C-alpha cells in the first residue's frame, strides 16, 4: 500500500465559543462516507474514528496551505475521539491573520474546518460487495469503498466551504 494524503471538511461548533481563551470546539472528522482524492483518483471513504492518530496539538492552517508558517492561524488542542467522531478545540493566535480568522468565526461568517491527514492503512471494498473490517460490515453499493483503519491527523485548516458538508 502506498501512503495517501487526504482532506475532509467538518464544522466549528458556534455555541462553544470561549472569548477568554479565543477558542471554539470543532468536529474534525466523522465516520460518514465522503468522496476524497487519492493518488489513484477519487474514491468514497470512511475514516474510522478508532483509527485516528494525533498528537497533543495540530497546527491551524489557512486553506491547507502548509508552504509557510505565515499561513498558521493558531492550533487545535484537546483532540479526542468521541464515539464515531474526532473533536478538538480550535485556538486562534494573537496575530493579524489569527485575529481576522477569530473575528470571522465569532461573527458566524466562517464555520468550516478540514483536516489534512496521512493514510496509514486501509481496506478497499469492490463495488457492489461487502466486507468485515475490524469487526464491522461495510457495503460498497455504488462504486468502490475505502475504509481507512489508520490515519494520522497532520493539520486542521480553516476553509470557506467544506467539501463534506
Amino acid at each position: 500500500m502506498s501512503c495517501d494524503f487526504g482532506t475532509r471538511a467538518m464544522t466549528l461548533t458556534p455555541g462553544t465559543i470561549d472569548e477568554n481563551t479565543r477558542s471554539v470546539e470543532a468536529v474534525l472528522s466523522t465516520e460518514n462516507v465522503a468522496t476524497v482524492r487519492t493518488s489513484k483518483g477519487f474514491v468514497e471513504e470512511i475514516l474510522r474514528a478508532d483509527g485516528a492518530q494525533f498528537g497533543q496539538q495540530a497546527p491551524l492552517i489557512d486553506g491547507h496551505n502548509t508552504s509557510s508558517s505565515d499561513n498558521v492561524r493558531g492550533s487545535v488542542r484537546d483532540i479526542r475521539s468521541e464515539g464515531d467522531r474526532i473533536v478538538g478545540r480550535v485556538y486562534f493566535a494573537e496575530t493579524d491573520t489569527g485575529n481576522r480568522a477569530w473575528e470571522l468565526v465569532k461573527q458566524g461568517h466562517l464555520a468550516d474546518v478540514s483536516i489534512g491527514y496521512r493514510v496509514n492503512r486501509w481496506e478497499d471494498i469492490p463495488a457492489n460487495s461487502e466486507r468485515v473490517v475490524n469487526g464491522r460490515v461495510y457495503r460498497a453499493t455504488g462504486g468502490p469503498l475505502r475504509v481507512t483503519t489508520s490515519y494520522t491527523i497532520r493539520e486542521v485548516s480553516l476553509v470557506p466551504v467544506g467539501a463534506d458538508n
Side-chain angles (χ1 to χ4, degrees), residues 123-165:
E123 290 201 35
D124 286 332
I125 303 170
N128 302 312
S129 64
E130 69 179 39
R131 182 178 297 161
V132 175
V133 178
N134 290 3
R136 285 195 216 154
V137 176
Y138 293 93
R139 289 174 184 82
T141 53
L145 176 67
R146 172 171 287 179
V147 179
T148 298
T149 58
S150 175
Y151 58 101
T152 304
I153 297 174
R154 303 287 296 145
E155 53 92 359
V156 178
S157 282
L158 295 167
V159 294
V161 179
D164 303 350
N165 295 334

Side-chain angles (χ1 to χ4, degrees), residues 16-24 73 90-93 96-108 110 158:
T16 64
I17 289 175
D18 183 335
E19 294 270 355
N20 294 326
T21 62
R22 294 169 51 95
S23 68
V24 62
R73 303 295 182 256
V90 177
Y91 292 84
F92 294 84
D96 288 343
T97 56
N99 290 337
R100 280 197 300 272
W102 174 235
E103 286 302 318
L104 289 170
V105 168
K106 286 193 315 181
Q107 294 171 18
L110 184 59
L158 295 167

Side-chain angles (χ1 to χ4, degrees), residues 49-113:
D50 62 1
Q53 299 173 22
F54 42 83
Q56 296 272 332
Q57 73 179 43
L60 179 66
I61 304 292
D62 182 41
H64 297 295
N65 186 347
T66 60
S67 65
S68 169
S69 60
D70 290 339
N71 298 316
V72 175
R73 303 295 182 256
S75 62
V76 181
R77 304 175 210 154
D78 309 319
I79 302 170
R80 62 202 178 275
S81 176
E82 290 185 353
D84 67 349
R85 59 191 198 152
I86 304 299
V87 298
R89 184 158 276 282
V90 177
Y91 292 84
F92 294 84
E94 292 188 30
T95 62
D96 288 343
T97 56
N99 290 337
R100 280 197 300 272
W102 174 235
E103 286 302 318
L104 289 170
V105 168
K106 286 193 315 181
Q107 294 171 18
H109 302 297
L110 184 59
D112 290 355
V113 294

